[in-house]
Amino acid sequence: EKMDMLHISTGDMLRAVIVSGSELGKKVEAVLAAGELVSDDLMVDLIRERLESDAARGGWLLDGFPRTVAQAEALQELLDDIDQTIHAVVEMTIPDEVILERLTGRLTCRSCGATTHVSKVPAGADSPCPVCGARTLFVRDDDREETIRTRLEVYRHSTDPVVEVLGRHYPLRKVSGHGTPEEVSTRLRSVLG
Ligand code: AMP
């Protein structure tokens, strides 16, 4: 928001497909609940549609994509096709224990999509959402400890190699994810200039 870019989160897009209740949504729901990755073809189609939309004209931030080398290669082809490029690739680093502590305590609002942490709201999931006030906080299926561990393994195996592939073609910035959301956000903006 502060940099006026369209935030394209593939996780949010997939959760919207699930809420639609379609056949595709049911398949996607099972994949997410297991902590595995959705097929590259589907992901690339979703991204193509979003990058070609009018909303993306002023610049965009891809969050959660590409997550495999095949997606990274498809993204490069897609960008060539639509005559766009990537100005920076950001790798956020944080120890696994901190990831576990954050995600096992994460609460997501079903109404507005905001996230908070159990340590910040007095009555846990029964609290009102700190952003919109609705009492619709819930724990994502994939924020359970066992699934988080699978997601970390999938990250190491499938996504780590993407950093090197993209880093060969675009400026790579490493940002520490330690600290409060405000601290991380300031750090992020400073590396993006
Ligand atoms: P996130 O909200 O980014 O943590 O994504 C939640 C889940 O959605 C992931 O654990 C994957 O199952 C799926 N997902 C999100 N982005 C992608 C992607 N680029 N490729 C494949 N699966 C994805």
Side-chain angles (χ1 to χ4, degrees):
E1 268 167 25
K2 288 194 172 130
M3 298 186 76
D4 230 2
M5 291 189 278
L6 176 68
H7 175 204
I8 303 175
S9 154
T10 42
D12 285 351
M13 288 161 77
L14 293 170
R15 285 183 284 277
V17 173
I18 294 173
V19 170
S20 75
S22 62
E23 277 309 306
L24 176 64
K26 285 179 195 144
K27 286 187 195 152
V28 167
E29 186 170 22
V31 176
L32 262 70
E36 302 292 343
L37 293 179
V38 170
S39 84
D40 290 333
D41 287 348
L42 173 64
M43 295 315 304
V44 174
D45 284 350
L46 287 174
I47 288 292
R48 174 182 285 273
E49 199 185 317
R50 205 48 75 91
L51 290 184
E52 285 178 336
S53 72
D54 285 345
R57 292 241 173 104
W60 35 261
L61 171 85
L62 290 179
D63 165 6
F65 183 95
R67 257 179 159 98
T68 65
V69 169
Q71 289 179 11
E73 287 166 352
L75 175 64
Q76 280 173 276
E77 272 175 38
L78 166 59
L79 292 176
D80 284 347
D81 254 16
I82 60 176
D83 208 17
Q84 296 199 35
T85 190
I86 291 173
H87 295 104
V89 175
V90 180
E91 182 189 22
M92 303 193 85
T93 51
I94 191 92
D96 284 2
E97 316 83 77
V98 182
I99 291 180
L100 271 167
E101 194 272 324
R102 286 184 183 174
L103 296 194
T104 50
R106 176 160 71 176
L107 295 169
T108 302
C109 177
R110 216 179 281 284
S111 307
C112 74
T115 54
T116 184
H117 193 268
V118 279
S119 59
K120 292 191 184 158
V121 283
D126 295 329
S127 308
C129 166
V131 174
C132 73
R135 285 186 189 272
T136 49
L137 294 177
F138 74 105
V139 177
R140 272 170 47 174
D141 272 351
D142 57 347
D143 279 345
R144 299 179 198 285
E145 183 164 342
E146 212 184 291
T147 314
I148 296 166
R149 290 194 190 280
T150 305
R151 288 162 67 193
L152 288 169
E153 269 171 42
V154 169
Y155 184 89
R156 230 150 260 138
H157 176 261
S158 303
T159 309
D160 246 355
V162 171
V163 178
E164 211 230 294
V165 171
L166 291 181
R168 267 189 245 139
H169 297 96
Y170 311 106
L172 175 64
R173 314 260 185 264
K174 284 190 197 253
V175 174
S176 159
H178 268 297
T180 63
E182 293 70 27
E183 284 164 346
V184 178
S185 156
T186 304
R187 224 174 274 143
L188 186 54
R189 272 186 291 148
S190 79
V191 300
L192 292 180

